[in-house]
Amino acid sequence: MRLEETLDAIADKVREYVPSRLTTREVMTRRKDSRQCEARGLKQHNTMSDDLKFQLRLSLSDEFAQVARNVPGDPSISTLTDILNRHDAVMKCQFDAFADYVSEAEANGIENFDLYEWTKKTIDDPAKKSKYTKSFALYVGGDEVYEKDKADALEAELKPLVGGPIVAKMFKYDTDPAHNPQPPRQT
């Protein structure tokens, strides 16, 4: 694998972490503390277990991704949106979320946005745009991360749609830093 492909893969994994709402510094501190405890043969108490939240993401087929982005109430995706409505959930296109982040950074000073450079390069890359315009984060009750029971219930109801004409894939992420890579180093 070329270095650029490796960095792209790492960057994709970093974006999976973003829903946790922990800052990069908090993640790195928790990982460092965990490694130090392991090195000394100690088991660290995980204060995260009570705070662990989840997010579901869907990859939609090409045709229906455009519909979901541009006309979310279209009847052609009602089998999906009916389920989302029952769970007080909405979809947010990952590409649009990245573009919003870049706009906010540019409006408020990019020096305050650690992932600005990576995110800007991502939305400017046609291949990544194609990938991320099909990826949708599911927000439940207005929250981008939510309790396990909410995630599990929504996941169970969405499973029959996966692999069908609308939903290609479904992913479940959690906010445990041990399951998420560190952000890419600035060069």
Side-chain angles (χ1 to χ4, degrees):
M1 186 181 282
R2 293 186 352 236
L3 177 60
E4 183 176 314
E5 290 170 336
T6 302
L7 292 175
D8 284 345
I10 291 168
D12 288 344
K13 289 292 185 184
V14 168
R15 295 311 298 174
E16 292 170 7
Y17 173 73
V18 171
S20 74
R21 292 190 178 158
L22 291 176
T23 66
T24 300
R25 174 169 274 127
E26 289 171 321
V27 172
M28 293 183 347
T29 299
R30 288 179 186 201
R31 289 182 132 193
K32 180 181 171 193
D33 291 347
S34 178
R35 284 188 202 115
Q36 287 174 346
C37 287
E38 287 173 16
R40 288 183 268 157
L42 302 173
K43 183 169 179 146
Q44 183 183 26
H45 173 67
N46 185 4
T47 58
M48 289 284 298
S49 61
D50 295 334
D51 299 330
L52 199 61
K53 303 283 185 177
F54 294 83
Q55 182 185 80
L56 295 175
R57 289 197 194 154
L58 303 176
S59 291
L60 302 185
S61 66
D62 290 338
E63 174 187 351
F64 292 106
Q66 290 307 312
V67 171
R69 282 183 77 208
N70 299 317
V71 192
D74 191 281
S76 67
I77 58 171
S78 64
T79 56
L80 172 58
T81 54
D82 289 349
I83 293 170
L84 297 177
N85 290 337
R86 282 195 293 275
H87 292 268
D88 190 25
V90 295
M91 294 183 288
K92 174 76 173 183
C93 174
Q94 289 299 107
F95 181 84
D96 296 338
F98 292 169
D100 291 347
Y101 179 88
V102 168
S103 294
E104 183 181 350
E106 290 172 349
N108 296 300
I110 62 172
E111 65 279 356
N112 299 317
F113 293 79
D114 295 334
L115 295 174
Y116 171 79
E117 292 297 328
W118 177 86
T119 309
K120 177 73 170 144
K121 286 178 188 173
T122 297
I123 66 171
D124 290 342
D125 181 328
K128 290 184 180 183
K129 179 178 181 178
S130 175
K131 173 184 175 180
Y132 289 115
T133 55
K134 294 183 260 185
S135 178
F136 292 78
L138 302 184
Y139 289 56
V140 175
D143 296 324
E144 63 183 315
V145 292
Y146 26 89
E147 292 77 20
K148 183 178 185 336
D149 61 330
K150 290 180 182 181
D152 289 347
L154 181 55
E155 180 182 34
E157 202 167 344
L158 288 170
K159 268 187 182 173
L161 299 182
V162 177
I166 300 171
V167 180
K169 298 177 186 173
M170 179 168 49
F171 305 92
K172 183 191 243 178
Y173 300 105
D174 67 45
T175 58
D176 185 342
H179 299 154
N180 299 285
Q182 294 182 24
R185 289 194 170 108
Q186 301 294 329
T187 56

